[in-house]
Every structure is written in C-alpha cells, then in structure tokens.
C-alpha cells in the first residue's frame, strides 16, 4: 500500500513530543509521502527542518495562509518570494480566502491570493487552495487568472456538486478529500461519488479534522488510511485501487 498525504501540518507544536513516532506511524500505515503546507513566516523554518530530516517522505511547500493575512502581508509575500529563490519547494500554499474566521482583511486576502496564483504560474508549482465560505470569491479570481499552466488542489473540499464541477472545469485542479468525508451525516460522500476517483487526492490536514473513528482527537497522517477506506466504500472498489489512483494523481501534480 502506498498512500500520499497531500496536506499535513506535522511541523506544528501539537507534534513536538512525538514527531518521529508520527512519521513512523504514517509509514507503518502505508502513508509514505507527506506534503507540508506552510502557514506564514513563523512556520517556514519548521517546515524546512522537517523536510530535511525526512527527505523522500516529507515535502515542503511555501505560502501565506489566508488567516495569517494581516497588516504586514507585503513583508510576508516578500518572504515567500525570497524563500522560493533559496530552497526547493513542491507547492505554493497554503493560500486562498477564509471568510469564516474573520472578514477584516478580505481585500488583502484577495490581493495575497492573486499574488500567489501568479507565483504558482511563474514557478510552475501547484497551488494549494484553502476555501472557507469563499467559493464565489475564489472562482471569480480563478476565472480571471486561470491558464494552461495553473494547477493545484482545492484542499479539504466540502462543497456541493456544482462547486465540484466548477473546479473540474479548471483542467489543472484536483480535489483534496479529508476526514470530513467519514463524518456521520456528511453530505460529502454523495458529492465525491460524482467527482470520480481520477480527480481526487487524499489529505489529513493534521492536526485538524481527524476522521472517524478518531474524530475529535489530534489528527495524524497515519489516519489517512481511514479516509482511503471510506473512499473505497463510496466507489465500491478495493483499497488498493484507491491507493493506486490517488497516489498517481498526487505524483503527477507534484511532479515526483
Ligand atoms: Ni491546512
């Protein structure tokens, strides 16, 4: 079994006591590659440290998360550009728009998102999009800036069928499915069924959004297996098929 966790923040302090064990648990459960999306300049060094400690397992990304967009956003974007020159990265992210937590910096969030879309185009790296109560805003920006080079993931997707179809109309994008698909009463399985396995990548978003039966606990990459099992059930295929297709999707997208 070979699964890829396309989105995990294992560099955060929630893993300070057992980071090595967390990586080992992932490997023991078939999760052999893990992509680390940055949050802002305060986490960049932690992302790189982890990627350097576990080469060929942990892959670093760089970006400014929408909930970290504040007055200093221009300095933060300069930092992202500077790091891209200096280090090898596998994606731009995470970025996007979040209107759930705070709308104060909406104008700035939009500017930052546009900037990072252009960075993704310039570097030919995948863009990791965080969309929280913001599909309309995000779609109107991508409608404007999309081209043949832009590619990426709508991470932790929880949208409806129309929103999924809209994402797939942008040819370069995959849909990232995480623990929410396993939750009781989740409407996501119905949507996932329509999307098709060829458009999916898997993610945990650790330490957040742990899947059933670990719901409410700290999430970790090993739990990707619960998500993969749920996806297999939704499509009525075996686990190996889910692993093969979603791993291939992630490898192609990230250029491994
Ligand atoms: Ni995240």
């Amino acid at each position: 079994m070979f699964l890829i966790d396309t989105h995990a923040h294992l560099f955060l302090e929630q893993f300070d006591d057992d980071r090595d064990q967390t990586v080992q648990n992932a490997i023991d459960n078939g999760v052999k590659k893990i992509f680390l999306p940055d949050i802002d300049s305060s986490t960049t060094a932690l992302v790189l440290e982890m990627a350097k400690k576990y080469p060929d397992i942990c892959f670093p990304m760089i970006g400014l998360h929408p909930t970290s967009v504040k007055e200093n956003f221009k300095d933060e974007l300069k930092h992202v550009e500077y790091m891209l020159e200096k280090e090898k990265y596998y994606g731009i992210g995470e970025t996007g728009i979040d209107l759930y937590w705070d709308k104060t910096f909406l104008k700035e969030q939009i500017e930052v998102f546009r900037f990072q879309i252009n960075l993704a185009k310039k570097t030919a790296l995948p863009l990791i999009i965080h969309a929280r109560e913001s599909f309309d805003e995000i779609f109107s920006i991508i409608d404007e800036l999309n081209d043949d080079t832009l590619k990426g993931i709508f991470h932790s997707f929880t949208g409806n069928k129309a929103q999924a179809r809209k994402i797939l109309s942008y040819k370069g994008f995959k849909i990232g499915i995480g623990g929410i698909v396993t939750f009781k009463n989740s409407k996501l399985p119905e949507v996932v069924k329509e999307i098709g396995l060829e458009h999916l990548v898997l993610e945990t978003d650790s330490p957040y959004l742990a899947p059933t039966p670990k719901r409410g606990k700290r999430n970790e990459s090993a739990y990707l297996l619960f998500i993969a099992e749920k996806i297999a059930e939704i499509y009525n295929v075996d686990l190996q098929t889910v692993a093969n297709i979603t791993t291939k999707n992630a490898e192609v997208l990230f250029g491994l």
Side-chain angles (χ1 to χ4, degrees):
M1 181 79 58
F2 174 14
L3 295 165
I4 297 183
D5 187 351
T6 59
H7 195 115
H9 305 282
L10 303 184
F11 51 88
L12 293 178
E13 64 183 2
Q14 285 91 335
F15 299 97
D16 281 356
D17 292 336
D18 62 350
R19 190 164 287 110
D20 292 338
Q21 189 59 50
T22 301
V23 173
Q24 192 56 52
N25 291 347
I27 295 167
D28 292 346
N29 282 279
V31 183
K32 294 171 188 163
K33 292 189 194 300
I34 301 167
F35 285 82
L36 308 175
D38 203 1
I39 311 284
D40 56 37
S41 61
S42 74
T43 48
T44 300
L46 303 174
V47 169
L48 284 173
E49 187 186 328
M50 199 173 176
K52 283 172 185 173
K53 187 165 185 196
Y54 306 100
D56 306 320
I57 300 169
C58 293
F59 296 85
M61 306 203 263
I62 180 86
L64 179 58
H65 192 288
T67 60
S68 288
V69 173
K70 305 273 150 63
E71 292 88 350
N72 68 342
F73 74 95
K74 286 199 169 137
D75 289 336
E76 285 286 329
L77 291 178
K78 272 190 206 131
H79 164 78
V80 171
E81 273 189 309
Y82 172 74
M83 292 308 298
L84 272 169
E85 301 263 317
K86 210 170 149 225
E87 299 280 348
K88 171 144 179 70
Y89 282 106
Y90 290 83
I92 305 289
E94 55 188 285
T95 180
I97 298 176
D98 190 312
L99 298 180
Y100 174 79
W101 291 107
D102 190 357
K103 295 187 176 82
T104 313
F105 290 99
L106 173 59
K107 201 166 65 69
E108 291 82 0
Q109 283 195 43
I110 290 172
E111 186 177 336
V112 167
F113 183 43
R114 295 175 69 101
F115 185 91
Q116 293 184 92
I117 292 174
N118 287 322
L119 268 186
K121 283 157 78 165
K122 202 166 92 185
T123 56
L125 290 172
L127 184 75
I128 310 306
I129 299 177
H130 168 113
R132 192 131 189 226
E133 299 189 357
S134 60
F135 274 121
D136 291 346
E137 289 80 1
I138 284 176
F139 288 152
S140 80
I141 293 168
I142 298 189
D143 281 343
E144 187 193 331
L145 298 179
N146 194 34
D147 67 10
D148 292 344
T149 66
L150 188 64
K151 60 180 180 176
I153 297 171
F154 275 76
H155 120 80
S156 195
F157 179 77
T158 53
N160 58 34
K161 289 177 188 174
Q163 288 160 338
R165 277 193 293 270
K166 177 71 178 169
I167 292 169
L168 298 181
S169 77
Y170 306 131
K171 297 293 175 210
F173 283 85
K174 299 286 179 211
I175 294 179
I177 299 295
I180 292 170
V181 77
T182 67
F183 292 178
K184 205 177 156 199
N185 301 327
S186 171
K187 295 195 174 72
L188 198 52
E190 261 177 69
V191 179
V192 164
K193 200 168 186 151
E194 292 239 334
I195 295 172
L197 207 42
E198 68 275 22
H199 300 295
L200 299 189
V201 292
L202 306 182
E203 63 168 72
T204 58
D205 204 11
S206 299
Y208 316 109
L209 296 172
T212 306
K214 303 288 183 180
R215 190 173 178 179
K217 301 213 166 66
R218 182 191 71 171
N219 200 1
E220 60 175 90
S221 290
Y223 301 165
L224 195 67
L225 196 53
F226 297 120
I227 297 164
E229 279 169 350
K230 181 66 187 186
I231 301 280
E233 182 194 311
I234 291 168
Y235 289 107
N236 196 22
V237 296
D238 58 21
L239 191 56
Q240 191 61 52
T241 303
V242 172
N244 291 348
I245 297 176
T246 58
T247 293
K248 183 82 194 158
N249 290 345
E251 285 177 331
V252 169
L253 186 69
F254 286 109
L256 295 186

